[in-house]
Amino acid sequence: MSRVDKSMSLAGGPPVAMKTGQKVGTLLGLFGLGILTLATFNVSLPNQGLWLALALLSIGGGILVYSKSLYKDTLPGIKNHGVWLKSVSSRGFWAWVAGIALTGFYIVLYFFAELLGQGSGGAENTGLIGLFDPLSYALKGQPASQWFVYGTLYTLAILAFGIKFIWKYRHNSYEKIRTGSVMFFQTVFAFLIPEIMARLNGDLPYYDLKNVWPLNYYLFDQWNVDGLLINGSFGLTLLIWGIASILVITPILTYRYGKRWYCSWVCGCGGLAETAGDSFRQLSDKSRSAWRVERWVVHSVLVFAVVTTTGVIHSYLGDGSQYWFSRGTFLIAVGVVLTLLFGLIWKYKRHELKKDARYGAIGYLVIILALIGLHFSAASDNLLIFQTHEVRSTYGFLIGSVFSGVIGTGFYPIFGNRVWCRMGCPMAAILGLQQRLFSKFRITTNGGQCISCGNCSTYCEMGIDVRAYAQKGANIVRASCVGCGICSAVCPRGVLKLENTDTQGRINSNDVLLGNDVDLMDLVNQR
C-alpha cells in the first residue's frame, strides 16, 4: 500500500533515498545508454535494429519508470523538492559531471562525427551512427547521419521527459496541454515529416516546417533556395511558407498570444528546455547585471543574423533574372522596411522603450552601415571587408552550433535550461520585441494576495524577478518572458494569471496595489 506524503510545506523537505521504482528506472536508463556506448566503441552488435529498439525503449522506459515512482505518492502541486540540496540541481559535483558529459557529446557530434562512425566518401556507417541505420532506412530510405542520430535522441528526450513533466504538473491544465503541444510538434513536424519528405523527394533539402527564420538561419542560403526551387511547385510552396511565417504568421500570432505560442508551444529548443531541462530552471541568473548582458547579447545576435542573411542573399541575386529581385532592388527593399519599422516604433512606442530606444537605435545603425557596405561592394561577394560566406559560416559555427548546442544545451546543469533562449536566440529577440510593443499578452498579478514566498522568481527560467512585480500588483510585460506559465503554476495563492486582453493599460509599472492605497478602488474599477 502506497503512502502519500501529505506535507503542505513549500520546501518539500530534504532529499530522501531513492525508491525502488526510481532505482529500477535508473538501471533501465543506464542499460540503454550502455548499448549506445558499446556501439560508439564499435562493439559488434548483430541485428542492429533490435539492439537500437532495445536501447531507445530502455532509455525512454527508464525515464518513465523513474518519474512515475517519483511523483505517484505525492499530492498534486509544486514544491521545491529540495532542489537546492541536490548536487545535480544546485551546480554541485554531479551537475558539473553532467554538464561536461553533455558538452563533450555535443562537441563530438557536431564537429567530429567520424568518431561516432559517420561514413565518408561512400563508406558505410559504423559505430553509434551505424546503429541508427535501420531506423533511418525505414523512415527515409537512406543511411543515418549525425543529424539523424541527434534528431532521434532529441525527440526521445522531449517525449520521455515531457511525460515526466506532465506528471509533475498534473494539477495544471495549461502545462499539460502546452507540453503535449511541444511533444507533438517535435515528433511530427521536426522529425517525422522532414524525414518522410526526404524519402519522397530525395533531392529536397531538410525542411522543418515549424522552424522560422532567423532560427532557421540557412533558409535563404543559395544551396537551400536552389534545392527548393528545383522541386517545382512543392519546393516553391515551402519557400513561400518560410517567408509567410516571418512576415505574416509570426506577427499575427504574437500579437494575439505573445511569444509563448512559439517559444513554449512549438519550438524544439524550447521544448527540450521545458522537458529535459525542467530540473534546472531554478538556476537562471536573476541579477540585474545578467538582465543587462542578456539584452545586449541577444539583440546583437539578432543584428548579426539580419546582416549576414542580407549579405548572403545579396551575394547571389545578380541582376534579378533568376531570383525575381536584383541586388539593388533587394537592398532598397530591406532598407525601406527597416526604416519604416524603426520609424513607427519611435513614433508610437518610444514612451514604452525609454532607454531601450537608444539600444534599438544602435542596432539599427549597425544594420544600416552594413547595408551601405553591401551597396558599395555590389560588384563583389564581400560583406563590408569580409567574404559574405565566411561571415555566414562564422555565424553558423558560433551561434548555430557552439552557442545553441554546445553551451545552450550542454550547460543546462550550470546556467539553467534557457540560457540559449535568453542570450542567443535571434527568434526569441524578434518575438520579444513584438511581445513587448505590439501584443495583447501579459501576466497580471494580484498584489494583495502575494505572500512573498518567492516560488515564482525561483522557478522563472528566463531570470525574471516575478515576485517584485507581484508585490506591487504590476502587470508583467517583459520581452524575455516565454509565457511558460510555471510562475503561475507554482504560486500557492493564485496571484499570477496569464491573459490576452485589450492593450490599453497593459503596462502599468507605476501602479501599486496595497491595502492602504487611498485610490485603490478607483484603480480597480478602471481595470
Side-chain angles (χ1 to χ4, degrees):
M1 181 177 179
S2 63
R3 182 175 178 273
V4 177
D5 178 10
K6 297 183 178 180
S7 169
M8 298 299 291
S9 168
L10 290 177
V16 296
M18 287 199 301
K19 305 171 187 176
T20 301
Q22 291 173 270
K23 294 177 181 178
V24 172
T26 301
L27 290 176
L28 269 176
L30 290 175
F31 175 72
L33 290 174
I35 295 175
L36 300 185
T37 303
L38 291 176
T40 301
F41 288 100
N42 282 314
V43 174
S44 178
L45 297 173
N47 198 342
Q48 289 181 324
L50 177 62
W51 282 104
L52 175 62
L54 187 60
L56 297 182
L57 289 174
S58 295
I59 294 172
I63 294 171
L64 298 184
V65 171
Y66 181 96
S67 305
K68 186 64 175 178
S69 176
L70 178 63
Y71 298 119
K72 70 175 182 178
D73 292 334
T74 61
L75 293 173
I78 303 305
K79 301 175 182 180
N80 289 329
H81 293 294
V83 291
W84 292 114
L85 302 174
K86 298 176 182 177
S87 174
V88 72
S89 59
S90 61
R91 300 192 184 97
F93 173 77
W94 289 112
W96 283 98
V97 170
I100 292 172
L102 284 171
T103 302
F105 174 73
Y106 265 85
I107 290 174
V108 173
L109 181 70
Y110 272 50
F111 309 117
F112 305 100
E114 65 276 5
L115 298 179
L116 299 177
Q118 178 75 63
S120 60
E124 293 184 357
N125 292 328
T126 58
L128 179 65
I129 295 178
L131 182 66
F132 282 77
D133 275 347
L135 180 59
S136 181
Y137 276 112
L139 286 177
K140 61 179 181 181
Q142 301 174 15
S145 66
Q146 66 201 96
W147 307 120
F148 181 82
V149 173
Y150 179 53
T152 303
L153 295 178
Y154 199 103
T155 302
L156 175 64
I158 289 181
L159 289 176
F161 283 105
I163 295 175
K164 174 182 180 291
F165 186 94
I166 290 173
W167 282 338
K168 179 179 179 180
Y169 295 91
R170 60 192 181 276
H171 67 290
N172 191 294
S173 297
Y174 177 81
E175 299 303 331
K176 292 189 290 185
I177 296 173
R178 179 177 69 84
T179 305
S181 174
V182 296
M183 292 166 65
F184 168 77
F185 277 102
Q186 173 60 33
T187 305
V188 177
F189 281 78
F191 184 61
L192 293 179
I193 290 180
E195 301 300 343
I196 294 173
M197 285 197 303
R199 186 186 188 95
L200 299 177
N201 302 274
D203 54 353
L204 183 73
Y206 175 86
Y207 198 99
D208 181 351
L209 292 171
K210 66 176 179 53
N211 225 10
V212 183
W213 180 91
L215 192 59
N216 180 7
Y217 55 86
Y218 57 81
L219 174 63
F220 297 110
D221 283 11
Q222 185 174 13
W223 64 267
N224 190 62
V225 174
D226 289 345
L228 293 175
L229 293 181
I230 63 174
N231 279 276
S233 57
F234 181 66
L236 179 61
T237 301
L238 292 178
L239 182 59
I240 293 174
W241 167 261
I243 297 173
S245 298
I246 304 165
L247 302 178
V248 180
I249 299 173
T250 292
I252 291 175
L253 291 178
T254 306
Y255 170 73
R256 290 184 60 86
Y257 306 110
K259 66 191 287 186
R260 59 177 172 157
W261 77 267
Y262 190 80
C263 296
S264 291
W265 287 68
V266 173
C267 178
C269 300
L272 188 69
E274 291 292 334
T275 54
D278 176 65
S279 299
F280 311 108
R281 63 175 61 247
Q282 70 278 357
L283 300 176
S284 60
D285 194 335
K286 312 298 192 299
S287 66
R288 183 177 291 271
S289 59
W291 174 59
R292 290 170 177 166
V293 171
E294 168 194 329
R295 295 160 72 197
W296 274 103
V297 173
V298 74
H299 292 106
S300 296
V301 172
L302 174 59
V303 170
F304 194 8
V306 172
V307 171
T308 54
T309 301
T310 304
V312 167
I313 297 175
H314 168 272
S315 68
Y316 65 76
L317 281 182
D319 60 3
S321 59
Q322 184 176 359
Y323 297 104
W324 309 297
F325 290 100
S326 66
R327 288 180 169 182
T329 303
F330 172 70
L331 288 179
I332 292 172
V334 172
V336 169
V337 169
L338 291 175
T339 301
L340 288 175
L341 179 62
F342 184 80
L344 291 172
I345 292 175
W346 190 266
K347 180 175 177 61
Y348 296 106
K349 297 291 182 177
R350 180 173 51 183
H351 64 284
E352 296 182 10
L353 289 174
K354 297 181 181 179
K355 291 183 179 180
D356 292 340
R358 292 200 292 271
Y359 304 153
I362 294 173
Y364 178 77
L365 179 63
V366 171
I367 295 174
I368 290 299
L369 290 177
L371 290 174
I372 293 174
L374 287 170
H375 176 71
F376 283 103
S377 62
S380 68
D381 193 31
N382 289 349
L383 176 59
L384 301 179
I385 62 174
F386 306 102
Q387 282 288 321
T388 297
H389 293 284
E390 289 181 359
V391 177
R392 168 63 183 76
S393 297
T394 300
Y395 178 88
F397 173 74
L398 293 178
I399 307 302
S401 298
V402 175
F403 204 156
S404 68
V406 176
I407 297 176
T409 304
F411 275 82
Y412 275 2
I414 307 302
F415 298 129
N417 61 329
R418 285 275 192 174
V419 63
W420 157 248
C421 308
R422 288 183 67 184
M423 302 286 183
C425 179
M427 185 66 184
I430 288 181
L431 296 178
L433 289 172
Q434 294 178 22
Q435 175 170 276
R436 181 68 171 76
L437 300 173
F438 307 109
S439 176
K440 293 183 176 183
F441 173 72
R442 87 287 306 273
I443 300 177
T444 58
T445 62
N446 182 355
Q449 291 292 316
C450 179
I451 59 174
S452 299
C453 68
N455 253 11
C456 53
S457 292
T458 296
Y459 285 105
C460 179
E461 59 195 353
M462 298 305 291
I464 300 172
D465 188 2
V466 180
R467 178 173 58 178
Y469 289 88
Q471 289 171 332
K472 296 190 300 181
N475 290 343
I476 302 173
V477 183
R478 290 280 292 271
S480 59
C481 177
V482 294
C484 67
I486 295 298
C487 58
S488 175
V490 301
C491 178
R493 299 280 290 175
V495 171
L496 304 157
K497 183 179 180 181
L498 283 66
E499 295 185 0
N500 302 303
T501 55
D502 194 356
T503 56
Q504 184 176 2
R506 179 168 168 260
I507 299 177
N508 62 341
S509 58
N510 294 325
D511 296 343
V512 180
L513 291 176
L514 298 176
N516 59 354
D517 201 329
V518 293
D519 297 321
L520 177 60
M521 291 309 301
D522 290 338
L523 183 59
V524 171
N525 290 332
Q526 290 174 9
R527 296 183 176 185

